[in-house]
Amino acid sequence: MDLQLVLLPFGYASSTQATELVNMASSGRDSEVEELLHERLDPDITYSRGETALFAASRKGRASTVKLLLEAKASTDKVSERNRLGTALNVACFAGHAGVTQLLLEARAEVEKVPGHGELPLNLACFKGSAEVVRHLLGAKADKDACGQQGFTPLLEACSRGNVSVVRLLLESRANVDKVCCSDDVSYGETPLYVAARSGYIEVVRLLLQAGADTEKICGMQGVTAVDMARRKSRMQTWFLLLEASARQNQLAGSCLKLMRSFLSTLLSGWRAKRL
């Protein structure tokens, strides 16, 4: 006898049931969530605040509840209508819930921005300094150089907060060390080094210099270098570190220029000898 798969539609859910499901998910009451799901309740149903059960569970870091909802085919990319963070992945990244983030990524949650809503997950994690979350997102091939809503790249977000471990992870993944802050095609001209120097995050500055950050790049609305900004803000340790790095970069540039001049002089001498 041939068996035929029949897909049953989700049952009708009242606003009370929707509220119960979201509240239970938020509280991590797995047995009650499972009971409602067995009644064919749509896991993506929203209640008055426009949040789904998956969004609520992700926000609270309820990994076991998230797993239940994903097994019930809850949508990972459904956008919350009222929460500015947008998706379950975004809210998990912002809250620093590494376990939940991993579950959502394994369920193929979108790591790039959902059109019209929310911030980039990687940018949120870098802003909050969640190194383990950042590691998961980088492993899922999140764009390490993408500009978020405010024009900041993930590296700029991490540098603006002095998140050393996150900066290190991004640099190890070859993030663009000199990419400037930009939004709506308008560049603010602030590089990660400039941002870190302004706040005096000396360990971050040291990491950026080791990665080859340009100390002479003109940045910001004031049109100054990271070296100048550190001096203006009286970040003396950072200023001395940048001065040393700038001197080394200039010395290297000077040496290269001397070699080039010597090479050109040799070529010119040879050309003149042939003419004679």
Side-chain angles (χ1 to χ4, degrees), residues 85-264:
L85 291 173
T87 65
L89 180 60
N90 276 13
V91 77
C93 291
F94 187 75
H97 299 314
V100 171
T101 298
Q102 185 175 14
L103 285 171
L104 292 168
L105 291 173
E106 288 172 354
R108 304 296 180 87
E110 177 59 59
V111 296
E112 305 302 338
K113 187 189 301 182
V114 176
H117 294 84
E119 182 58 274
L120 293 166
L122 183 57
N123 292 50
L124 290 170
C126 290
F127 175 78
K128 296 297 287 187
S130 308
E132 194 61 31
V133 173
V134 169
R135 187 176 286 107
H136 287 317
L137 291 166
L138 290 173
K141 308 301 182 185
D143 188 346
K144 57 187 175 295
D145 292 319
C147 289
Q149 284 187 329
Q150 302 302 315
F152 275 50
T153 64
L155 185 57
L156 273 163
E157 292 281 13
C159 289
S160 71
R161 307 283 285 187
N163 294 323
V164 177
S165 58
V166 173
V167 169
R168 185 177 287 110
L169 281 173
L170 291 167
L171 292 176
E172 288 172 355
S173 68
R174 304 295 179 86
N176 188 335
V177 74
D178 288 321
K179 187 168 182 178
V180 298
C181 176
C182 58
S183 180
D184 297 327
D185 299 323
V186 177
S187 172
Y188 299 119
E190 296 186 354
T191 64
L193 185 62
Y194 179 90
V195 169
R198 181 174 59 200
S199 298
Y201 295 134
I202 191 166
E203 290 304 318
V204 172
V205 168
R206 186 173 284 111
L207 286 172
L208 293 168
L209 291 174
Q210 290 171 358
D214 185 358
T215 60
E216 299 299 314
K217 192 174 182 66
I218 302 299
C219 302
M221 301 295 289
Q222 300 178 54
V224 297
T225 66
V227 181
D228 295 328
M229 180 51 67
R231 178 181 56 80
R232 290 187 182 190
K233 292 291 184 178
S234 299
R235 312 294 188 186
M236 303 313 293
Q237 284 185 300
T238 303
W239 182 46
F240 290 141
L241 182 63
L242 287 165
L243 280 175
E244 290 176 357
S246 180
R248 285 195 299 271
Q249 289 181 3
N250 288 333
Q251 184 178 14
L252 179 60
S255 298
C256 290
L257 185 58
K258 287 180 181 179
L259 285 172
M260 186 175 292
R261 284 175 176 170
S262 176
F263 177 69
L264 290 174

